Coordinates of all heavy atoms in Angstrom, one line a residue:
M28 N 0.8 -1.2 0.0 CA 0.0 0.0 0.0 C 0.9 1.2 0.0 O 1.8 1.4 0.8 CB -0.9 0.0 1.2 CG -1.7 1.3 1.4 SD -2.7 1.3 2.9 CE -4.2 0.7 2.2
N29 N 0.7 2.1 -1.0 CA 1.5 3.3 -1.1 C 1.0 4.4 -0.1 O -0.2 4.4 0.2 CB 1.4 3.9 -2.5 CG 2.2 3.2 -3.5 OD1 3.2 2.5 -3.1 ND2 1.9 3.3 -4.7
K30 N 1.9 5.1 0.5 CA 1.5 6.2 1.4 C 1.0 7.4 0.7 O 0.2 8.2 1.2 CB 2.7 6.5 2.3 CG 3.1 5.4 3.2 CD 4.2 5.7 4.1 CE 4.5 4.6 5.0 NZ 5.5 4.9 6.0
I31 N 1.4 7.6 -0.6 CA 0.9 8.7 -1.4 C 0.2 8.1 -2.6 O 0.7 7.3 -3.3 CB 2.0 9.7 -1.8 CG1 2.6 10.3 -0.5 CG2 1.5 10.7 -2.8 CD1 3.7 11.2 -0.8
R32 N -1.0 8.6 -2.9 CA -1.8 8.1 -4.0 C -2.3 9.2 -4.9 O -2.2 10.3 -4.6 CB -3.1 7.4 -3.4 CG -2.8 6.2 -2.5 CD -4.2 5.6 -2.1 NE -4.0 4.5 -1.1 CZ -4.9 4.1 -0.4 NH1 -6.1 4.5 -0.5 NH2 -4.7 3.1 0.4
K33 N -2.8 8.8 -6.1 CA -3.3 9.7 -7.0 C -4.5 10.4 -6.4 O -5.4 9.8 -5.7 CB -3.8 8.9 -8.3 CG -4.4 9.8 -9.3 CD -4.9 8.9 -10.5 CE -5.6 9.8 -11.5 NZ -6.0 9.0 -12.7
G34 N -4.5 11.7 -6.6 CA -5.6 12.6 -6.0 C -5.3 13.2 -4.7 O -6.0 14.1 -4.3
D35 N -4.2 12.8 -4.0 CA -3.8 13.4 -2.8 C -3.3 14.8 -3.0 O -2.6 15.0 -4.0 CB -2.7 12.5 -2.1 CG -3.3 11.3 -1.5 OD1 -4.5 11.1 -1.3 OD2 -2.5 10.4 -1.1
T36 N -3.5 15.6 -2.0 CA -2.9 17.0 -2.0 C -1.5 16.9 -1.3 O -1.5 16.4 -0.2 CB -3.7 18.0 -1.3 OG1 -5.0 18.0 -2.0 CG2 -3.1 19.4 -1.4
V37 N -0.5 17.3 -2.0 CA 0.9 17.1 -1.4 C 1.6 18.5 -1.4 O 1.2 19.4 -2.2 CB 1.7 16.1 -2.2 CG1 1.2 14.7 -2.0 CG2 1.9 16.5 -3.6
V38 N 2.6 18.6 -0.6 CA 3.5 19.8 -0.6 C 4.9 19.4 -0.9 O 5.3 18.3 -0.4 CB 3.3 20.6 0.7 CG1 3.7 19.7 1.9 CG2 4.1 21.9 0.7
V39 N 5.6 20.1 -1.7 CA 7.0 19.8 -2.0 C 7.9 20.3 -0.8 O 7.8 21.4 -0.4 CB 7.4 20.5 -3.3 CG1 8.9 20.2 -3.7 CG2 6.5 20.1 -4.4
I40 N 8.7 19.4 -0.3 CA 9.5 19.7 0.8 C 11.0 20.0 0.5 O 11.7 20.4 1.4 CB 9.5 18.5 1.9 CG1 9.9 17.2 1.3 CG2 8.1 18.5 2.5 CD1 9.9 16.1 2.3
S41 N 11.4 19.8 -0.7 CA 12.8 20.2 -1.1 C 12.9 20.4 -2.6 O 12.0 19.9 -3.4 CB 13.8 19.1 -0.7 OG 13.6 18.0 -1.5
G42 N 13.9 21.2 -3.0 CA 14.0 21.5 -4.4 C 13.6 22.9 -4.8 O 13.3 23.7 -4.0
K43 N 13.5 23.1 -6.1 CA 13.2 24.5 -6.6 C 11.8 24.9 -6.3 O 11.5 26.1 -6.3 CB 13.5 24.6 -8.1 CG 12.7 23.8 -9.0 CD 12.9 24.0 -10.4 CE 12.0 23.1 -11.2 NZ 12.0 23.4 -12.6
D44 N 10.9 23.9 -6.2 CA 9.5 24.2 -5.9 C 9.1 24.0 -4.4 O 7.9 23.8 -4.1 CB 8.6 23.3 -6.8 CG 8.7 23.6 -8.3 OD1 8.7 24.8 -8.6 OD2 8.7 22.7 -9.1
K45 N 10.1 24.1 -3.6 CA 9.8 23.9 -2.1 C 8.7 24.8 -1.6 O 8.7 26.0 -1.9 CB 11.1 24.2 -1.3 CG 11.0 23.9 0.1 CD 12.3 24.2 0.8 CE 12.2 23.9 2.3 NZ 13.4 24.1 3.0
G46 N 7.8 24.2 -0.9 CA 6.6 24.9 -0.3 C 5.4 25.0 -1.1 O 4.3 25.3 -0.7
R47 N 5.5 24.6 -2.4 CA 4.3 24.7 -3.3 C 3.4 23.4 -3.1 O 3.9 22.3 -2.8 CB 4.7 24.8 -4.7 CG 5.4 26.1 -5.0 CD 5.8 26.3 -6.4 NE 4.5 26.3 -7.2 CZ 4.5 26.2 -8.5 NH1 5.7 26.1 -9.2 NH2 3.4 26.1 -9.2
Q48 N 2.1 23.6 -3.3 CA 1.2 22.5 -3.1 C 0.6 22.2 -4.5 O 0.5 23.0 -5.4 CB 0.0 22.9 -2.2 CG 0.4 23.1 -0.8 CD -0.8 23.5 0.1 OE1 -1.9 23.3 -0.3 NE2 -0.5 24.1 1.2
G49 N 0.1 20.9 -4.6 CA -0.5 20.5 -5.8 C -1.2 19.1 -5.6 O -1.0 18.5 -4.5
T50 N -1.9 18.7 -6.6 CA -2.6 17.4 -6.6 C -1.8 16.4 -7.3 O -1.3 16.7 -8.4 CB -4.0 17.5 -7.2 OG1 -4.7 18.6 -6.5 CG2 -4.8 16.2 -7.1
V51 N -1.7 15.2 -6.8 CA -0.9 14.1 -7.5 C -1.7 13.6 -8.7 O -2.9 13.2 -8.6 CB -0.6 12.9 -6.5 CG1 0.0 11.8 -7.2 CG2 0.2 13.4 -5.3
L52 N -1.0 13.6 -9.8 CA -1.7 13.2 -11.1 C -1.3 11.7 -11.3 O -2.2 10.9 -11.7 CB -1.2 14.0 -12.3 CG -1.5 15.5 -12.2 CD1 -0.9 16.2 -13.4 CD2 -3.0 15.7 -12.2
V53 N -0.1 11.3 -11.1 CA 0.4 10.0 -11.4 C 1.4 9.5 -10.4 O 2.2 10.3 -9.9 CB 1.1 9.9 -12.8 CG1 1.7 8.5 -13.1 CG2 0.2 10.4 -13.9
V54 N 1.2 8.3 -9.9 CA 2.2 7.7 -9.0 C 2.8 6.5 -9.8 O 2.1 5.6 -10.2 CB 1.6 7.2 -7.7 CG1 2.7 6.5 -6.9 CG2 1.0 8.3 -6.9
D55 N 4.1 6.5 -10.0 CA 4.8 5.5 -10.8 C 6.0 5.0 -10.0 O 7.1 5.5 -10.1 CB 5.2 6.0 -12.2 CG 5.8 4.9 -13.0 OD1 5.5 3.7 -12.9 OD2 6.6 5.3 -13.9
G56 N 5.8 4.0 -9.2 CA 6.9 3.5 -8.4 C 7.4 4.5 -7.4 O 6.6 4.8 -6.5
D57 N 8.6 5.0 -7.5 CA 9.1 5.9 -6.5 C 9.1 7.4 -7.1 O 9.7 8.3 -6.6 CB 10.6 5.6 -6.1 CG 11.5 5.6 -7.3 OD1 11.1 5.6 -8.4 OD2 12.8 5.7 -7.0
K58 N 8.3 7.6 -8.2 CA 8.1 8.9 -8.8 C 6.7 9.3 -8.7 O 5.8 8.5 -8.9 CB 8.6 8.8 -10.3 CG 10.0 8.4 -10.5 CD 10.9 9.5 -10.3 CE 12.3 9.1 -10.6 NZ 13.3 10.1 -10.4
V59 N 6.5 10.6 -8.5 CA 5.1 11.2 -8.6 C 5.1 12.4 -9.5 O 6.1 13.1 -9.6 CB 4.6 11.6 -7.2 CG1 4.4 10.4 -6.3 CG2 5.5 12.6 -6.5
T60 N 4.0 12.6 -10.2 CA 3.8 13.7 -11.0 C 2.7 14.6 -10.4 O 1.7 14.1 -10.1 CB 3.4 13.4 -12.5 OG1 4.4 12.5 -13.0 CG2 3.3 14.6 -13.3
V61 N 3.1 15.8 -10.0 CA 2.2 16.7 -9.3 C 1.8 17.8 -10.2 O 2.6 18.4 -11.0 CB 2.9 17.3 -8.1 CG1 1.9 18.1 -7.3 CG2 3.4 16.2 -7.2
E62 N 0.5 18.2 -10.2 CA -0.1 19.2 -11.0 C 0.6 20.5 -10.8 O 0.7 21.0 -9.7 CB -1.6 19.3 -10.7 CG -2.4 20.3 -11.5 CD -3.8 20.3 -11.1 OE1 -4.2 20.0 -9.9 OE2 -4.7 20.5 -12.0
N63 N 1.1 21.2 -11.9 CA 1.7 22.5 -11.9 C 3.0 22.6 -11.1 O 3.3 23.6 -10.6 CB 0.7 23.6 -11.5 CG -0.4 23.7 -12.4 OD1 -0.3 23.6 -13.6 ND2 -1.6 23.9 -11.9
I64 N 3.7 21.4 -10.8 CA 4.9 21.4 -10.1 C 6.0 20.8 -11.0 O 5.7 19.9 -11.7 CB 4.8 20.6 -8.8 CG1 3.7 21.1 -7.9 CG2 6.1 20.6 -8.0 CD1 3.9 22.4 -7.2
N65 N 7.2 21.3 -10.9 CA 8.4 20.7 -11.6 C 8.1 20.8 -13.1 O 8.2 19.8 -13.8 CB 8.7 19.3 -11.2 CG 10.1 18.9 -11.6 OD1 11.0 19.7 -11.8 ND2 10.3 17.6 -11.8
K66 N 7.7 22.0 -13.6 CA 7.4 22.1 -15.0 C 8.7 22.2 -15.9 O 9.7 22.8 -15.4 CB 6.6 23.4 -15.2 CG 5.2 23.3 -14.7 CD 4.3 23.2 -15.8 CE 2.9 23.2 -15.3 NZ 1.9 23.4 -16.4
A67 N 8.6 21.7 -17.1 CA 9.7 21.8 -18.0 C 9.1 22.2 -19.4 O 8.0 21.9 -19.7 CB 10.4 20.5 -18.2
K68 N 10.0 22.9 -20.2 CA 9.5 23.4 -21.5 C 9.7 22.2 -22.5 O 10.8 21.6 -22.5 CB 10.3 24.6 -22.0 CG 10.2 25.8 -21.1 CD 8.9 26.5 -21.4 CE 8.9 27.8 -20.6 NZ 7.7 28.5 -20.7
K69 N 8.7 21.9 -23.2 CA 8.8 20.8 -24.2 C 8.6 21.4 -25.6 O 7.5 22.0 -25.9 CB 7.7 19.8 -23.9 CG 7.5 18.7 -25.0 CD 8.6 17.7 -24.9 CE 8.3 16.5 -25.9 NZ 9.4 15.8 -26.3
H70 N 9.6 21.3 -26.5 CA 9.5 21.8 -27.8 C 8.8 20.8 -28.7 O 9.4 19.7 -28.9 CB 10.9 22.2 -28.4 CG 11.5 23.3 -27.6 ND1 11.5 24.6 -28.1 CD2 12.1 23.3 -26.4 CE1 12.1 25.4 -27.2 NE2 12.5 24.6 -26.2
Q71 N 7.7 21.1 -29.3 CA 6.9 20.1 -30.1 C 6.9 20.5 -31.5 O 6.6 21.7 -31.9 CB 5.4 20.1 -29.6 CG 4.6 19.0 -30.2 CD 5.1 17.6 -29.8 OE1 5.5 17.4 -28.7 NE2 5.1 16.7 -30.7
K72 N 7.3 19.6 -32.4 CA 7.3 19.9 -33.8 C 5.9 19.7 -34.4 O 5.2 18.8 -34.1 CB 8.3 18.9 -34.5 CG 8.9 19.3 -35.8 CD 10.0 18.3 -36.2 CE 10.6 18.7 -37.5 NZ 11.6 17.8 -37.9
P73 N 5.5 20.6 -35.3 CA 4.2 20.4 -35.9 C 4.2 19.1 -36.8 O 5.2 18.8 -37.5 CB 4.0 21.6 -36.8 CG 5.3 22.2 -37.0 CD 6.1 21.8 -35.8
R74 N 3.1 18.4 -36.8 CA 3.0 17.2 -37.6 C 1.5 16.8 -38.0 O 0.6 17.3 -37.3 CB 3.7 16.0 -37.0 CG 3.2 15.7 -35.6 CD 4.2 14.7 -35.0 NE 4.3 14.9 -33.6 CZ 4.2 14.0 -32.7 NH1 4.1 12.7 -33.0 NH2 4.3 14.2 -31.4
Q75 N 1.4 16.0 -38.9 CA 0.1 15.5 -39.4 C -0.2 14.2 -38.7 O 0.5 13.2 -38.9 CB 0.1 15.4 -40.9 CG -1.3 15.1 -41.5 CD -2.2 16.3 -41.4 OE1 -1.8 17.4 -41.5 NE2 -3.5 16.0 -41.3
G76 N -1.3 14.1 -37.9 CA -1.6 12.9 -37.3 C -2.9 12.3 -37.8 O -3.6 12.9 -38.6
K77 N -3.3 11.2 -37.3 CA -4.6 10.5 -37.7 C -5.8 11.4 -37.3 O -6.8 11.4 -37.9 CB -4.7 9.1 -37.1 CG -3.7 8.2 -37.7 CD -3.9 6.8 -37.2 CE -2.9 5.8 -37.8 NZ -3.1 4.5 -37.3
A78 N -5.7 12.1 -36.2 CA -6.8 12.9 -35.7 C -6.7 14.3 -36.2 O -7.5 15.1 -35.8 CB -6.7 12.9 -34.1
G79 N -5.9 14.5 -37.2 CA -5.8 15.8 -37.8 C -4.4 16.5 -37.5 O -3.6 15.9 -36.8
P80 N -4.2 17.7 -38.0 CA -2.9 18.3 -37.8 C -2.7 18.7 -36.3 O -3.6 19.1 -35.6 CB -3.0 19.6 -38.6 CG -4.4 19.8 -38.9 CD -5.1 18.5 -38.8
M81 N -1.5 18.5 -35.9 CA -1.1 18.8 -34.5 C -0.2 20.0 -34.6 O 0.9 19.9 -35.2 CB -0.4 17.6 -33.8 CG -1.3 16.4 -33.7 SD -0.5 15.0 -33.0 CE -0.1 15.5 -31.4
P82 N -0.5 21.1 -33.9 CA 0.3 22.3 -34.0 C 1.6 22.2 -33.3 O 1.7 21.4 -32.3 CB -0.6 23.4 -33.4 CG -1.5 22.7 -32.5 CD -1.7 21.3 -33.1
G83 N 2.6 22.9 -33.7 CA 3.9 22.9 -33.0 C 3.9 24.0 -32.0 O 3.0 24.8 -31.8
G84 N 5.0 24.1 -31.3 CA 5.2 25.2 -30.3 C 5.9 24.7 -29.1 O 6.4 23.6 -29.0
I85 N 5.9 25.5 -28.1 CA 6.6 25.2 -26.8 C 5.5 25.1 -25.8 O 4.6 26.0 -25.6 CB 7.5 26.3 -26.4 CG1 8.6 26.5 -27.5 CG2 8.2 26.0 -25.1 CD1 9.5 27.7 -27.3
E86 N 5.4 23.9 -25.1 CA 4.4 23.7 -24.1 C 5.1 23.4 -22.7 O 6.2 22.8 -22.7 CB 3.5 22.6 -24.5 CG 4.1 21.3 -24.7 CD 3.1 20.2 -25.1 OE1 2.2 20.5 -25.8 OE2 3.4 19.0 -24.7
D87 N 4.4 23.7 -21.6 CA 4.9 23.4 -20.3 C 4.4 22.0 -20.0 O 3.2 21.7 -20.1 CB 4.4 24.4 -19.3 CG 5.1 25.7 -19.3 OD1 6.3 25.7 -19.7 OD2 4.5 26.7 -18.9
K88 N 5.3 21.1 -19.5 CA 4.9 19.8 -19.1 C 5.4 19.5 -17.7 O 6.5 19.8 -17.3 CB 5.7 18.8 -20.1 CG 5.3 17.4 -19.9 CD 6.0 16.5 -21.0 CE 5.7 15.1 -20.8 NZ 6.4 14.2 -21.7
A89 N 4.5 18.9 -16.9 CA 4.8 18.5 -15.5 C 5.7 17.3 -15.6 O 5.3 16.2 -16.1 CB 3.5 18.3 -14.7
M90 N 6.9 17.4 -15.0 CA 7.8 16.3 -14.9 C 7.7 15.6 -13.6 O 7.3 16.2 -12.6 CB 9.2 16.8 -15.2 CG 9.4 17.5 -16.5 SD 9.1 16.4 -17.9 CE 10.5 15.3 -17.9
P91 N 8.1 14.3 -13.5 CA 8.0 13.6 -12.3 C 9.0 14.0 -11.2 O 10.1 14.4 -11.6 CB 8.2 12.1 -12.7 CG 8.8 12.1 -14.0 CD 8.5 13.4 -14.6
L92 N 8.6 13.9 -10.0 CA 9.5 14.1 -8.8 C 9.7 12.8 -8.1 O 8.9 11.9 -8.1 CB 8.8 15.1 -7.8 CG 8.7 16.6 -8.1 CD1 7.7 17.2 -7.2 CD2 10.1 17.2 -8.0
N93 N 10.8 12.8 -7.3 CA 11.0 11.6 -6.4 C 10.0 11.7 -5.3 O 9.7 12.8 -4.8 CB 12.4 11.6 -5.9 CG 12.8 10.3 -5.3 OD1 12.1 9.7 -4.5 ND2 13.9 9.7 -5.8
I94 N 9.4 10.6 -4.9 CA 8.4 10.5 -3.9 C 8.9 11.0 -2.6 O 8.1 11.5 -1.7 CB 7.7 9.1 -3.8 CG1 6.3 9.2 -3.3 CG2 8.6 8.2 -3.1 CD1 5.5 7.9 -3.5
S95 N 10.2 11.0 -2.3 CA 10.8 11.4 -1.1 C 10.8 12.9 -1.0 O 11.0 13.5 0.1 CB 12.2 10.9 -0.9 OG 13.0 11.4 -1.9
K96 N 10.5 13.6 -2.1 CA 10.6 15.1 -2.1 C 9.2 15.7 -1.8 O 9.1 16.9 -1.8 CB 11.1 15.6 -3.4 CG 12.6 15.3 -3.6 CD 13.0 16.0 -4.9 CE 14.5 15.8 -5.0 NZ 15.3 17.0 -4.7
V97 N 8.2 14.9 -1.6 CA 6.8 15.4 -1.3 C 6.3 14.8 0.0 O 6.7 13.7 0.3 CB 5.8 15.1 -2.5 CG1 6.3 15.8 -3.7 CG2 5.7 13.7 -2.7
A98 N 5.5 15.6 0.6 CA 4.8 15.1 1.8 C 3.3 15.4 1.7 O 2.9 16.4 1.1 CB 5.3 15.8 3.1
I99 N 2.5 14.5 2.2 CA 1.0 14.7 2.1 C 0.6 15.9 3.0 O 1.2 16.2 4.0 CB 0.3 13.4 2.5 CG1 -1.2 13.5 2.0 CG2 0.4 13.2 4.0 CD1 -1.8 12.1 1.9
W100 N -0.4 16.7 2.5 CA -0.9 17.9 3.2 C -2.0 17.5 4.2 O -3.0 16.9 3.8 CB -1.3 18.9 2.2 CG -1.9 20.2 2.7 CD1 -3.1 20.6 2.8 CD2 -1.1 21.2 3.3 NE1 -3.2 21.8 3.4 CE2 -2.0 22.2 3.7 CE3 0.3 21.4 3.5 CZ2 -1.5 23.4 4.3 CZ3 0.7 22.6 4.1 CH2 -0.2 23.5 4.5
N101 N -1.8 17.9 5.4 CA -2.8 17.7 6.5 C -3.6 19.0 6.5 O -3.2 20.0 7.1 CB -2.1 17.4 7.8 CG -3.1 17.0 8.9 OD1 -4.3 17.2 8.7 ND2 -2.6 16.4 9.9
A102 N -4.8 19.0 6.0 CA -5.6 20.2 6.0 C -6.1 20.6 7.3 O -6.2 21.8 7.6 CB -6.9 20.0 5.1
G103 N -6.3 19.7 8.3 CA -6.7 20.0 9.6 C -5.7 20.8 10.4 O -5.9 21.8 11.1
A104 N -4.4 20.3 10.3 CA -3.3 20.9 11.0 C -2.6 22.0 10.1 O -1.8 22.8 10.6 CB -2.3 19.9 11.4
K105 N -3.0 22.1 8.9 CA -2.4 23.1 7.9 C -0.9 23.0 7.8 O -0.2 24.0 7.9 CB -2.9 24.5 8.3 CG -4.4 24.7 8.1 CD -4.8 26.2 8.2 CE -6.2 26.5 8.0 NZ -7.2 25.5 8.3
K106 N -0.4 21.8 7.7 CA 1.0 21.6 7.5 C 1.3 20.2 6.8 O 0.3 19.4 6.7 CB 1.7 21.5 8.9 CG 1.3 20.4 9.8 CD 2.1 20.4 11.0 CE 1.8 19.1 11.8 NZ 2.7 18.9 12.9
A107 N 2.5 20.0 6.3 CA 2.9 18.8 5.7 C 3.0 17.7 6.9 O 3.4 18.1 8.0 CB 4.2 18.9 5.0
D108 N 2.7 16.5 6.6 CA 2.6 15.5 7.6 C 3.1 14.2 7.1 O 3.1 13.9 5.9 CB 1.2 15.3 8.1 CG 1.1 14.9 9.6 OD1 2.1 14.4 10.1 OD2 0.0 15.0 10.2
K109 N 3.6 13.3 8.0 CA 4.0 12.0 7.7 C 2.8 11.1 7.7 O 1.8 11.3 8.4 CB 5.0 11.5 8.7 CG 6.4 12.1 8.6 CD 7.4 11.5 9.5 CE 8.7 12.2 9.4 NZ 9.7 11.6 10.3
V110 N 2.8 10.0 7.0 CA 1.7 9.1 6.9 C 2.1 7.7 7.4 O 3.2 7.2 7.1 CB 1.3 9.0 5.4 CG1 0.1 8.0 5.2 CG2 0.8 10.3 4.9
G111 N 1.2 7.0 8.1 CA 1.5 5.7 8.6 C 0.3 4.8 8.1 O -0.7 5.3 7.6
I112 N 0.5 3.5 8.2 CA -0.5 2.6 7.8 C -0.8 1.7 8.9 O 0.1 1.2 9.6 CB 0.0 1.7 6.6 CG1 0.2 2.6 5.4 CG2 -1.1 0.6 6.2 CD1 0.9 1.9 4.2
K113 N -2.1 1.5 9.2 CA -2.5 0.6 10.3 C -3.7 -0.2 9.9 O -4.4 0.1 9.0 CB -2.9 1.4 11.6 CG -4.1 2.3 11.5 CD -4.3 3.0 12.8 CE -5.4 4.1 12.7 NZ -5.5 4.8 14.0
V114 N -3.9 -1.3 10.6 CA -4.9 -2.3 10.3 C -6.0 -2.1 11.3 O -5.8 -2.1 12.5 CB -4.4 -3.7 10.3 CG1 -5.5 -4.7 10.0 CG2 -3.2 -3.9 9.4
L115 N -7.3 -1.9 10.9 CA -8.4 -1.7 11.7 C -8.9 -3.1 12.2 O -8.4 -4.1 11.8 CB -9.5 -1.0 11.0 CG -9.2 0.4 10.5 CD1 -10.4 0.9 9.7 CD2 -8.9 1.3 11.6
N116 N -9.8 -3.1 13.2 CA -10.3 -4.4 13.8 C -10.9 -5.3 12.7 O -10.9 -6.5 12.9 CB -11.3 -4.0 14.9 CG -10.7 -3.4 16.1 OD1 -9.5 -3.6 16.3 ND2 -11.4 -2.7 16.8
D117 N -11.5 -4.7 11.7 CA -12.2 -5.5 10.7 C -11.2 -6.0 9.6 O -11.6 -6.6 8.6 CB -13.3 -4.8 10.0 CG -12.9 -3.5 9.3 OD1 -11.7 -3.1 9.4 OD2 -13.7 -2.9 8.6
G118 N -9.9 -5.7 9.8 CA -8.9 -6.2 8.8 C -8.6 -5.3 7.7 O -7.7 -5.5 6.9
K119 N -9.2 -4.1 7.7 CA -9.0 -3.1 6.6 C -7.8 -2.3 6.9 O -7.6 -1.8 8.0 CB -10.2 -2.2 6.5 CG -10.2 -1.3 5.3 CD -11.5 -0.5 5.2 CE -11.4 0.5 4.1 NZ -12.6 1.3 4.0
R120 N -6.9 -2.1 5.9 CA -5.7 -1.3 6.1 C -6.1 0.2 5.7 O -6.6 0.4 4.6 CB -4.6 -1.8 5.2 CG -4.1 -3.2 5.7 CD -3.1 -3.7 4.7 NE -2.0 -2.8 4.5 CZ -0.9 -3.1 3.9 NH1 -0.7 -4.3 3.3 NH2 0.1 -2.2 3.7
V121 N -5.7 1.1 6.5 CA -6.0 2.5 6.2 C -4.7 3.4 6.5 O -3.8 3.0 7.3 CB -7.1 3.1 7.1 CG1 -8.5 2.4 6.7 CG2 -6.9 2.9 8.6
R122 N -4.7 4.5 5.9 CA -3.6 5.5 6.1 C -4.0 6.5 7.2 O -5.2 6.8 7.3 CB -3.3 6.2 4.8 CG -2.8 5.4 3.7 CD -2.5 6.2 2.4 NE -3.7 6.9 1.9 CZ -3.7 7.9 1.1 NH1 -2.6 8.3 0.7 NH2 -4.8 8.5 0.7
F123 N -3.1 6.9 8.0 CA -3.4 7.9 9.0 C -2.2 8.9 9.1 O -1.1 8.6 8.8 CB -3.7 7.2 10.3 CG -2.4 6.6 11.0 CD1 -1.7 7.3 12.0 CD2 -2.0 5.3 10.6 CE1 -0.6 6.7 12.5 CE2 -0.9 4.8 11.2 CZ -0.2 5.5 12.1
F124 N -2.6 10.1 9.6 CA -1.6 11.1 9.9 C -0.9 10.8 11.2 O -1.5 10.5 12.2 CB -2.2 12.5 10.0 CG -2.7 13.0 8.7 CD1 -4.1 13.4 8.6 CD2 -1.9 13.2 7.6 CE1 -4.6 13.8 7.4 CE2 -2.4 13.7 6.4 CZ -3.8 14.0 6.3
K125 N 0.5 10.8 11.2 CA 1.2 10.4 12.3 C 1.2 11.5 13.4 O 1.3 11.2 14.6 CB 2.7 10.1 12.0 CG 2.8 8.9 11.2 CD 4.2 8.3 11.3 CE 4.3 6.9 10.7 NZ 5.6 6.3 10.9
S126 N 0.9 12.8 13.1 CA 0.9 13.8 14.1 C -0.3 13.8 15.0 O -0.2 14.0 16.2 CB 1.0 15.2 13.4 OG -0.2 15.4 12.7
N127 N -1.5 13.5 14.4 CA -2.7 13.5 15.3 C -3.5 12.2 15.2 O -4.5 12.0 15.9 CB -3.6 14.6 14.9 CG -4.0 14.6 13.4 OD1 -3.7 13.7 12.7 ND2 -4.7 15.7 13.0
G128 N -3.0 11.2 14.4 CA -3.7 9.9 14.3 C -5.0 9.9 13.5 O -5.7 8.9 13.5
E129 N -5.3 11.0 12.8 CA -6.5 11.1 12.1 C -6.4 10.1 10.8 O -5.4 10.1 10.1 CB -6.7 12.5 11.6 CG -7.9 12.8 10.8 CD -8.0 14.2 10.3 OE1 -7.4 15.1 10.9 OE2 -8.7 14.4 9.3
V130 N -7.5 9.4 10.5 CA -7.5 8.5 9.4 C -7.8 9.3 8.1 O -8.7 10.1 8.1 CB -8.6 7.4 9.6 CG1 -8.7 6.5 8.4 CG2 -8.3 6.5 10.8
I131 N -6.9 9.0 7.1 CA -7.1 9.7 5.8 C -8.2 9.2 5.0 O -9.1 9.9 4.5 CB -5.8 9.7 5.0 CG1 -4.7 10.4 5.8 CG2 -5.9 10.3 3.7 CD1 -3.3 10.2 5.2
D132 N -8.2 7.8 4.7 CA -9.2 7.2 3.9 C -10.0 6.2 4.7 O -9.4 5.1 5.1 CB -8.6 6.5 2.7 CG -7.3 5.9 2.9 OD1 -7.0 5.3 4.0 OD2 -6.4 5.9 2.0
A133 N -11.2 6.5 5.1 CA -12.0 5.6 5.9 C -12.7 4.6 5.1 O -12.9 4.6 4.0 CB -13.0 6.5 6.7

C-alpha cells in the first residue's frame, strides 16, 4: 500500500518548488507527477496525425519528482505530515496522519 496516492494533495519539501502545493496526477513506483509542479519546456514539432494536424510550439509539461521530495498535506493541521498505515479491527488497512492519528481514507 502506497502512502501517497493519485488525487492526494501534497506539498514539495525540497528542491526548486519547495513549499508549493498540488494534486498528485500519477504515481509510478518511486516517482510522482504533481499538477503544476516541476514544469519543463517541451518543444513540439508540428505534424500531421490521424486525428488531424497537431500544431507545434513550446508547451509546459509537468515532470515527475521523487516521492521522497513530497509530503502529504494535512488540511486540519495546515502543514505537511508523515503518513502511517494501520490495520483496523475488521482487517481493513488505512492510512493515517502520524501527528494526530486522524485516518485519511475511511
Side-chain angles (χ1 to χ4, degrees):
M28 171 181 268
N29 285 337
K30 293 183 178 181
I31 296 179
R32 296 182 187 165
K33 179 180 175 180
D35 286 344
T36 302
V37 295
V38 61
V39 180
I40 55 176
S41 70
K43 66 177 183 171
D44 292 319
K45 182 177 179 177
R47 294 186 59 196
Q48 292 182 19
T50 305
V51 175
L52 300 174
V53 177
V54 177
D55 184 28
D57 63 342
K58 302 281 185 181
V59 292
T60 304
V61 183
E62 183 179 31
N63 297 323
I64 305 287
N65 198 27
K66 291 252 183 169
K68 299 281 186 186
K69 171 77 174 155
H70 295 260
Q71 188 67 40
K72 202 172 181 182
R74 55 191 147 136
Q75 185 71 30
K77 290 183 180 179
M81 298 174 68
I85 302 171
E86 61 181 33
D87 284 331
K88 184 177 179 183
M90 300 299 287
L92 283 168
N93 197 309
I94 203 163
S95 65
K96 291 186 175 254
V97 296
I99 197 159
W100 179 254
N101 186 345
K105 295 189 176 31
K106 65 174 187 170
D108 208 343
K109 292 183 179 183
V110 177
I112 298 171
K113 65 181 173 182
V114 180
L115 299 178
N116 292 336
D117 61 353
K119 186 176 177 185
R120 293 174 55 172
V121 294
R122 299 180 299 161
F123 69 98
F124 292 120
K125 288 202 173 185
S126 64
N127 57 6
E129 180 184 340
V130 175
I131 298 171
D132 37 34

